[in-house]
Every structure is written in C-alpha cells, then in structure tokens.
C-alpha cells in the first residue's frame, strides 16, 4: 500500500506521499505507469500531479520535494504544489515552526506559515528571482532579441501572438487578452506548450488586466493541460504585467477558484507568492504488481 495525502491549492490538486515508506521504492521503479494511473480523473484518484517528499538532515533544507506532472514528466517547480507540501507536512507531522525550507529541483524555497484554520493553511513562499535569460528559461530566441523577452512574436499555426517569456524555476509564456471569456485557452494552450521555441515545453498563462492592482488569469500547464490555478503561473503573469508597466509591484491574481497575492521586490528581485492550500484527506492505494505480471 502506498499512503498518499490529497491537497489542492485553489483547485490545482496534488497527491503527496513520503518517499521513505516501503511501497515508495516500488512506485519509483514503475512511476511511468503509476503516475498517470493515480492522476486519471475517472480511473484513478485524480490529480494534476504527484509529489514525493522526504525529511532532510541538511542545514540548508528541512525537506525535499520531487514533482511529477499528470503525464509523468518531471516539473522543476510548482508554487501551488509547494504550498500543498507545506500544508501536508504541517498537518501530518505536527510541524510547529513558523518556517519550512523545502529543497526543489531549482533550489531551496522558504515557506512562511501565516494561518491554519481547519483544513486550510495559508502561507507565503519566497519563490526566487524571475529568470529572463533565454538559455536558462529555456527559450530559442532570435539573436536580435535581448532579455527581458516582452511581447515576443510567436507564430502559432496561421496566426501570430505576442507573449512575454520568462522562468519562475519552470518556463512560462504569458499572453495578455482583452477578455478571458473569449480567450482560446484550449486551442492556443497546447500549441504554445509544445511550440518549437520551447525545448522543454512551457506553461501558458492567459491574462486580463482588471486594474493597477488586479489581474485575472487562466492557465494551461505543461504536462497537465488546463488547470484551475497555477502558483508559478500567477507569479509569471504578475511579473510579465509589471515588466509591461501595467500593474504595481504587488498584485492580486484572480483564478477560477480564488485569489493569489504576488509581490516582486524591486531591491532584492525576489518574488513572493501568498495563498492557501486545502487538505482533502489520506488515501491508501494498492499498487498493481507489475513485476509479477511481467513474469507470467
């Protein structure tokens, strides 16, 4: 049995499991099969991703997290996933410290707990600095383009769109639209995700500016598809809007199921993401015996 904990950040849901439990080795051995099975909305438990966590004895971090998207691809970073990890650790291990340091694929991220009420945990995450260098996003930019990549022209099928491209530990492509009601999320999202300019694929945000302090966004995530929310996507959308001088340095990003707060500090360059994570419950999942099936 693999013990998993299901949580969501504004509808962006994850299955979190301790890497130290006995069944984890079997899961990791066959993760290319198990991750899509777990994440399937009708034939599995259902989730946008699966996250393995492990306690560390390092001076640099308290835990590490490893994230797989629903299609079993690895994701370097997830803001909502990190909030879910923090909320899970706080609840399951009775973590009482005000801060939690989590090692991700792109370095340590510090989570500061703000409040816990029932199954809801609110926290602020130091998300690091946005990356604008095309080689580190990564993005195949024309030689004449210089960072930051604002309003870059991208050919998609027979049309051209303008996008702001950056990384928040994972690649992002932000499009500003006049109305989200008519934004072609399901059409342009998958096309941009696999656009040849993005060698590692990309996450896509469709953003409407409501005022100098408020954005509204819809998300197409790499390896998942349309999601109710995205933490790194909200950060990327906010930074893109700030680069275009459309909003102030601290904004609210409205998603389909709630709001995230994003601040980009002008002196340190650090982005802070504030939001909540909701603990849904614990599940014991019986792993199919793939080794036995292979022997027969």
């Amino acid at each position: 049995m693999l013990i998993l904990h299901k949580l969501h950040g504004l509808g962006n849901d994850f299955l979190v499991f301790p890497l130290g439990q006995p069944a984890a080795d079997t899961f990791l051995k066959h993760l290319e099969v198990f991750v899509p099975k777990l994440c399937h909305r009708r034939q599995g438990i259902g989730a946008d991703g699966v996250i393995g966590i492990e306690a560390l004895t390092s001076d640099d971090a308290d835990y590490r997290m490893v994230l797989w998207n629903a299609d079993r691809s690895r994701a370097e970073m997830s803001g909502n996933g990190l909030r879910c990890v923090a909320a899970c650790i706080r609840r399951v291990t009775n973590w009482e410290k005000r801060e939690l340091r989590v090692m991700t694929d792109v370095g340590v991220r510090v989570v500061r707990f703000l409040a816990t009420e029932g199954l809801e945990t609110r926290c602020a995450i130091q998300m690091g600095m946005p990356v604008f260098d095309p080689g580190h996003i990564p993005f195949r930019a024309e030689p004449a383009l210089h960072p930051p990549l604002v309003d870059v022209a991208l050919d998609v099928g027979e049309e051209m769109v303008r996008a702001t491209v950056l990384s928040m530990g994972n690649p992002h492509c932000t499009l500003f639209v006049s109305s989200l009601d008519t934004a072609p999320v399901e059409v342009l999202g998958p096309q941009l995700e696999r656009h040849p300019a993005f060698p590692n694929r990309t996450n896509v945000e469709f953003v409407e500016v409501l005022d100098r302090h408020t954005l509204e966004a819809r998300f197409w995530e790499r390896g998942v598809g349309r999601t109710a929310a995205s933490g790194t996507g909200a950060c990327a959308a906010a930074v893109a809007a700030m680069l275009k001088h459309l909003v102030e340095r601290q904004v609210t990003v409205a998603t389909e199921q709630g709001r995230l707060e994003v601040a980009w500090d002008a002196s340190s360059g650090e982005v802070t993401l504030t939001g909540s994570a909701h603990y849904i419950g614990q599940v014991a999942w019986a792993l199919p015996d793939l080794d036995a099936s292979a022997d027969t």
Side-chain angles (χ1 to χ4, degrees):
M1 289 286 184
L2 185 71
I3 305 301
L4 304 114
H5 304 272
K6 184 164 181 175
L7 303 94
H8 76 87
L10 302 183
N12 189 195
D13 55 348
F14 298 90
L15 296 166
V16 181
F17 73 97
L19 288 167
Q21 60 181 297
D25 289 342
T26 302
F27 179 86
L28 295 175
K29 183 179 178 181
H30 301 290
L31 65 87
E32 72 283 353
V33 175
F34 291 148
V35 169
K37 280 182 176 291
L38 276 172
C39 292
H40 198 286
R41 294 291 177 183
R42 291 197 172 100
Q43 299 174 12
I45 299 172
D48 290 329
V50 178
I51 304 175
I53 59 172
E54 180 181 34
L56 300 177
T57 57
S58 165
D59 291 335
D60 299 323
D62 304 300
Y63 277 81
R64 78 177 179 104
M65 62 177 278
V66 184
L67 170 60
W68 295 273
N69 294 316
D71 73 346
R72 69 179 175 265
S73 61
R74 277 290 296 276
E76 307 91 340
M77 179 63 185
S78 169
N80 287 340
L82 184 49
R83 288 205 317 283
C84 288
V85 164
C88 182
I89 290 170
R90 188 172 180 85
R91 180 177 182 85
V92 174
T93 71
N94 295 315
W95 185 269
E96 294 182 349
K97 296 180 182 178
R98 187 179 181 186
E99 291 188 345
L100 177 73
R101 301 164 302 162
V102 181
M103 178 65 73
T104 73
D105 284 2
V106 290
V108 176
R109 296 293 183 263
V110 178
V111 181
R112 181 164 53 91
F113 294 103
L114 301 176
T116 298
E117 184 175 346
L119 300 177
E120 202 85 15
T121 298
R122 185 169 176 81
C123 52
I125 306 172
Q126 294 176 358
M127 296 288 289
M129 293 184 287
V131 175
F132 303 117
D133 176 65
H136 290 94
I137 293 174
F139 177 74
R140 296 190 177 105
E142 297 293 332
L145 293 176
H146 301 284
L149 303 176
V150 177
D151 290 336
V152 175
L154 292 174
D155 291 324
V156 184
E158 296 183 354
E159 67 174 304
M160 185 269 286
V161 300
R162 292 199 174 274
T164 298
V165 180
L166 58 95
S167 171
M168 284 303 309
N170 51 1
H172 285 272
C173 171
T174 301
L175 278 64
F176 289 90
V177 298
S178 57
S179 173
L180 286 174
D181 293 336
T182 57
V185 180
E186 282 83 2
V187 176
L188 289 182
Q191 291 179 293
L192 287 167
E193 176 193 353
R194 296 180 178 276
H195 193 284
F198 297 95
N200 291 349
R201 297 189 287 167
T202 190
N203 302 281
V204 188
E205 297 82 47
F206 297 80
V207 182
E208 181 180 350
V209 180
L210 301 184
D211 57 46
R212 295 287 301 176
H213 302 278
T214 315
L215 303 173
E216 188 169 359
R218 299 293 180 264
F219 306 95
W220 182 274
E221 289 205 317
R222 177 186 58 167
V224 183
R226 182 158 184 168
T227 56
S230 170
T232 57
C235 293
V239 170
M242 293 170 195
L243 288 173
K244 289 167 63 68
H245 307 290
L246 300 173
V247 295
E248 303 301 327
R249 283 278 183 161
Q250 185 167 347
V251 298
T252 296
V253 180
T255 74
E256 293 179 86
Q257 296 190 23
R259 293 172 172 250
L260 294 166
E261 308 295 329
V262 180
W264 186 18
D265 188 89
S267 57
S268 69
E270 180 93 10
V271 174
T272 301
L273 173 68
T274 302
S276 62
H278 185 91
Y279 185 87
I280 299 172
Q282 177 179 301
V283 179
W285 189 61
L287 281 70
D289 192 346
L290 299 183
D291 291 329
S293 299
D295 293 339
T296 57

